[in-house]
């Protein structure tokens, strides 16, 4: 019984903090878009900077530095997911199941590749998903399911590569 009370206190405190900072589902989606797009752009710029400092061609640099190549692939997929999220923002904000599906996918996929800031933000998005009203529209289209599947496979492949490179 005490554990339930403590859990309710923590949940209530967390809800109060989110209310005070004004985190709504729309702001959570905008934050995820910002984080996915700009962190991937920063990573790509960093890789380009490293390639420029080495004085070799970009393809040669990626071939000789497999960790940078994997980081480049992950950054490219993150950028693509941020772009899809930007295009589907209104659909996500009006359909709870889609919002929860995308947040859950981001939580696990970013956990696999080690992007902990995005994991935390996706977890918070799942928490605020109860504020999203469900308009009863179509769940996920086959194209969205295919996007999740392919990008999930790329993330798993990259995680396996990163583990083997260590």
């Amino acid at each position: 019984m005490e554990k339930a009370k403590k859990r309710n206190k923590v949940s209530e405190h967390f809800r109060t903090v989110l209310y005070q900072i004004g985190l709504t589902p729309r702001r959570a989606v905008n934050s995820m878009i910002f984080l996915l797009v700009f962190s991937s752009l920063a990573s790509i710029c960093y890789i380009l900077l490293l390639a420029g400092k080495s004085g070799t061609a970009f393809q040669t640099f990626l071939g000789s530095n497999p960790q940078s190549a994997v980081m480049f692939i992950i950054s490219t997929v993150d950028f693509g997911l941020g772009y899809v999220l930007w295009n589907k923002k209104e659909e996500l904000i009006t359909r709870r199941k889609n919002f929860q599906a995308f947040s859950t996918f981001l939580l696990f996929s970013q956990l696999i590749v080690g992007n902990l800031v995005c994991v935390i933000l996706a977890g918070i998005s799942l928490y605020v998903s109860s504020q999203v009203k469900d308009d009863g529209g179509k769940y996920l289209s086959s194209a969205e399911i295919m996007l999740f599947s392919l990008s999930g496979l790329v993330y798993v492949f990259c995680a396996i590569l990163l583990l083997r490179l260590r």
Side-chain angles (χ1 to χ4, degrees), residues 26 29 84-100 132-135 137-141 144:
R26 180 176 300 279
V29 168
V84 169
L85 184 58
W86 177 65
N87 281 328
K88 300 283 185 178
K89 180 171 39 173
E90 291 305 317
E91 254 181 57
L92 289 174
I93 294 172
T94 57
R95 295 189 182 130
R96 180 181 298 155
K97 287 182 180 180
N98 289 357
F99 187 83
Q100 290 172 337
V132 176
K133 294 186 172 101
D134 200 3
D135 70 352
K138 187 177 177 188
Y139 184 50
L140 291 172
S141 70
E144 291 166 336

Side-chain angles (χ1 to χ4, degrees), residues 22-142:
L23 190 65
T24 61
R26 180 176 300 279
R27 285 188 178 169
V29 168
N30 287 336
S31 298
M32 282 193 289
I33 291 169
F34 178 81
L35 186 64
L36 284 171
V37 169
F38 290 108
S39 68
S40 35
L41 286 176
S43 296
I44 291 170
C45 288
Y46 176 70
I47 293 169
L48 289 171
L49 177 73
L50 289 177
K53 281 178 96 175
S54 71
T56 61
F58 184 65
Q59 291 88 358
T60 308
F61 175 78
L62 289 181
S64 62
N65 296 313
Q67 288 180 332
S68 294
V70 172
M71 185 175 156
F72 182 76
I73 294 168
I74 291 170
S75 297
T76 305
V77 174
D78 281 351
F79 185 83
L81 284 176
Y83 179 74
V84 169
L85 184 58
W86 177 65
N87 281 328
K88 300 283 185 178
K89 180 171 39 173
E90 291 305 317
E91 254 181 57
L92 289 174
I93 294 172
T94 57
R95 295 189 182 130
R96 180 181 298 155
K97 287 182 180 180
N98 289 357
F99 187 83
Q100 290 172 337
F102 198 83
S103 296
T104 304
F105 173 75
L106 276 179
L107 179 87
F108 288 116
S109 64
Q110 297 301 310
L111 184 63
I112 288 172
V113 295
N115 189 350
L116 297 180
V117 176
C118 199
V119 168
I120 292 169
L121 190 56
I124 291 171
S125 296
L126 279 173
Y127 188 81
V128 299
S129 68
S130 61
Q131 298 174 12
V132 176
K133 294 186 172 101
D134 200 3
D135 70 352
K138 187 177 177 188
Y139 184 50
L140 291 172
S141 70
S142 59

